[in-house]
């Protein structure tokens, strides 16, 4: 097992500034979304660019989002509402496959059952690129999603690049994607999350973060999404160093 300092040292030869890419490399794309909106919020603009390039996109939603709107008296109604919102947003973005695993919101754990289900889906999809929340993202379900992913890839022969996206916590990116032309579609998709917009102004928040991320492009860009991409073997070493 590498020490954290060794992992950090291994990154020193990388460029000082993030690279600009049209999309991260990959044409069969899977997104692990802890909740039924994280895929659009974290990488929706980039997913639109994948769609424009003819790439296949699947989203796997790990929790049911049942705590996302306290005004719903019946959690089952909220779960159904959030899944419908996600499916509408997916159609706008160009996500062709949505899988809802319905783990308990804010109680997600790396159990053998969920590891088996996620593993089976990834083997079936056979992606060459997987988007996943940053493993230091400040939400318990986002951290648990990484714990599940870590266990899955430890025991799987499927190999791909993984790309961290940011939602609750900004990350230190090594790649940036210009989504200036895709931002309107991303916002249209976000506006489908009506249950969530009661609690958070995700339109304003997304515009603010993605506007800030465009800074390194200069005046050529108005919106961008930021990611940290690495091969799966580096992810395994880094996650093990930080969390085990």
């Amino acid at each position: 097992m590498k020490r954290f300092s060794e992992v950090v040292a291994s990154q020193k030869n990388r460029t000082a500034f993030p690279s600009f890419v049209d999309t991260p490399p990959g044409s069969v794309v899977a997104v692990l979304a802890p909740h039924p909106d994280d895929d659009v919020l974290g990488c929706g603009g980039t997913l639109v660019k994948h769609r424009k390039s003819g790439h296949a996109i699947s989203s796997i939603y790990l929790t049911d989002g049942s705590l996302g709107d306290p005004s719903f008296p019946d959690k089952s109604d909220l779960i159904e509402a959030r899944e419908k919102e996600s499916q509408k947003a997916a159609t706008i973005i160009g996500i062709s496959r949505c899988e809802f695993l319905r783990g308990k919101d804010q109680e997600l754990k790396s159990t053998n059952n969920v590891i088996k289900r996620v593993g089976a889906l990834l083997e079936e999809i056979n992606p060459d690129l997987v988007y996943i929340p940053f493993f230091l993202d400040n939400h318990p379900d986002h951290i648990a999603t990484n714990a599940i992913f870590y266990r899955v890839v430890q025991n799987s022969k499927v190999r791909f690049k993984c790309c961290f996206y940011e939602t609750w916590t900004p990350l230190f990116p090594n790649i940036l994607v210009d989504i200036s032309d895709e931002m309107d579609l991303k916002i249209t998709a976000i506006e489908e999350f009506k249950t969530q917009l009661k609690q958070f102004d995700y339109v304003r928040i997304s515009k603010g973060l993605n506007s800030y991320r465009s800074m390194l492009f200069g005046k050529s860009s108005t919106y961008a999404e930021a990611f940290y991409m690495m091969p799966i073997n580096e992810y395994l070493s880094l996650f093990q160093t930080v969390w085990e």
Side-chain angles (χ1 to χ4, degrees):
M1 182 177 71
K2 293 182 179 179
R3 296 179 181 177
F4 186 68
S5 60
E6 293 175 324
V7 176
V8 172
S10 71
Q11 308 300 310
K12 288 184 177 179
N13 291 328
R14 298 181 185 270
T15 56
F17 291 99
S19 300
F20 302 154
V21 300
D22 185 58
T23 62
S27 59
V28 180
V29 178
V31 188
L32 293 187
H35 308 96
D37 57 12
D38 288 317
D39 51 346
V40 175
L41 295 173
C43 51
T46 302
L47 295 179
V48 172
K49 298 189 83 167
H50 279 293
R51 189 275 309 275
K52 289 178 177 178
S53 297
H55 301 164
I57 309 169
S58 302
S59 281
I60 302 171
Y61 306 98
L62 279 80
T63 74
D64 57 17
S66 58
L67 299 180
D69 185 352
S71 70
F72 269 71
D74 189 328
K75 288 185 178 180
S76 62
D77 289 341
L78 177 57
I79 292 169
E80 183 179 353
R82 293 200 66 180
E83 289 184 1
K84 287 181 178 178
E85 290 171 352
S86 288
Q87 288 168 335
K88 289 179 180 178
T91 299
I92 293 167
I93 293 294
I95 299 167
S96 57
R97 178 175 180 176
C98 297
E99 296 286 344
F100 298 94
L101 303 191
R102 290 193 171 186
K104 288 186 178 181
D105 196 357
Q106 297 191 28
E107 296 183 26
L108 187 62
K109 306 293 182 186
S110 57
T111 63
N112 289 334
N113 180 55
V114 71
I115 291 165
K116 183 177 180 180
R117 293 178 71 189
V118 173
L121 283 169
L122 288 180
E123 288 189 4
E124 180 182 341
I125 296 166
N126 195 24
D128 49 18
L129 178 66
V130 174
Y131 288 95
I132 183 170
F134 183 41
F135 64 85
L136 295 178
D137 211 23
N138 191 25
H139 191 293
D141 288 338
H142 294 210
I143 295 172
T145 297
N146 275 270
I148 292 163
F149 182 64
Y150 173 73
R151 291 276 303 279
V152 167
V153 296
Q154 272 188 315
N155 302 307
S156 175
K157 294 180 181 179
V158 179
R159 284 296 178 262
F160 39 75
K161 289 187 179 295
C162 54
C163 208
F164 297 115
Y165 60 84
E166 55 188 0
T167 48
W168 287 98
T169 306
L171 50 71
F172 292 99
N174 63 0
I175 60 173
L176 291 171
V177 176
D178 181 4
I179 61 165
S180 302
D181 294 337
E182 291 72 33
M183 193 65 183
D184 285 346
L185 268 183
K186 176 174 178 173
I187 294 303
T188 300
I190 290 173
E191 288 173 341
E192 293 294 339
F193 302 127
K194 294 177 174 57
T195 61
Q196 303 315 292
L197 293 175
K198 295 178 185 178
Q199 317 299 319
F200 303 99
D201 188 353
Y202 281 138
V203 171
R204 177 184 60 82
I205 292 166
S206 294
K207 284 183 175 179
L209 177 60
N210 295 151
S211 177
Y212 166 72
R213 286 307 193 184
S214 72
M215 178 173 58
L216 291 180
F217 285 92
K219 292 184 178 181
S220 66
S221 170
T222 50
Y223 296 103
E225 287 174 340
F227 304 96
Y228 196 95
M229 186 177 67
M230 62 174 61
I232 196 64
N233 62 315
E234 290 187 21
Y235 171 83
L236 290 170
S237 295
L238 187 57
F239 184 85
Q240 185 179 30
T241 299
V242 173
W243 290 110
E244 291 200 343

